[in-house]
Amino acid sequence: LMEFFTQEQEQVTMEALTLLLKFPRNTLVADCKKMLKAGLMIQVLEYLEEDYHDPFPEKNPAWLAVTHCLNIIGALKAKEALPEVLDLLRNDEFTLEYFFGDFPDYSLTPTLFALCQDDPRPLINYLHEPFKYYFNRIHASDTLAQIALHHPEHREVIIEGFRSLWEKCLDPKQSA
């Protein structure tokens, strides 16, 4: 899997996808989780080498591997990979910009939706985590809005999650 995803290809062919889906699900998900972590490490190493600000990360095979892995994790509804997916959001804005540019809605948001549509609480909990990179929360918020729209049974939990977040933000003793 590592070799497949590090080939420089923007589109996964149907033949390649059929071959990938012959892997046992556990193996495929475990490899995708490793690729998400490896992609982040490669990005960090490039940053340390000051190659990070290259506006065309296409030369880095990890760039597409992260997107392909997210799509597979979402297609398989591999909820066990949610911690690794949320780790992408816990990074700074430049990391998300590096991997997704202007198009996180094409892979990141649908993957979050697939993993959290049955239980939105992990995304709500993520929104309540204290960290300084607020912009990345947009993707979780957008996903929660979509879950509330398509799964009305979760609306009350999601509304309460946003309500408590607002209250936390407005409380001068706390920060969100």
Side-chain angles (χ1 to χ4, degrees), residues 10 14 27-28 30 32 39 53 62 73 82 96 106 130-131 161-162 164-165 170:
E10 289 187 34
M14 197 53 113
T27 303
L28 190 55
C32 283
H53 301 288
I73 287 168
L82 183 58
L96 258 59
Y106 292 109
F131 57 93
F162 280 121
S164 67
L165 183 64
L170 294 173

Side-chain angles (χ1 to χ4, degrees), residues 36-61:
L36 290 180
K37 289 179 183 178
L40 287 174
M41 289 308 300
I42 290 169
Q43 184 265 332
V44 168
L45 291 173
E46 283 191 356
Y47 179 78
L48 293 174
E49 293 174 1
E50 296 186 20
D51 222 8
Y52 177 73
H53 301 288
D54 182 349
F56 301 103
E58 295 89 358
K59 68 181 184 177
N60 176 354

Side-chain angles (χ1 to χ4, degrees), residues 124 128 155-165 167:
I124 293 167
H128 283 267
R155 281 188 189 146
E156 205 53 47
V157 169
I158 293 169
I159 290 169
E160 183 53 40
F162 280 121
R163 183 177 291 124
S164 67
L165 183 64
E167 289 170 1

Side-chain angles (χ1 to χ4, degrees), residues 123-130 137 161-162 164-165 168 175-176:
L123 281 181
I124 293 167
N125 293 339
Y126 161 77
L127 288 177
H128 283 267
E129 290 178 11
R137 294 179 191 206
F162 280 121
S164 67
L165 183 64
K168 190 176 181 179
S175 64

Side-chain angles (χ1 to χ4, degrees), residues 108-118 143 146-147 150-151:
L108 186 58
T109 305
T111 298
L112 288 171
F113 183 89
L115 301 183
C116 296
Q117 64 183 330
D118 296 329
T143 302
Q146 290 300 314
I147 293 170
H150 296 285
H151 295 279

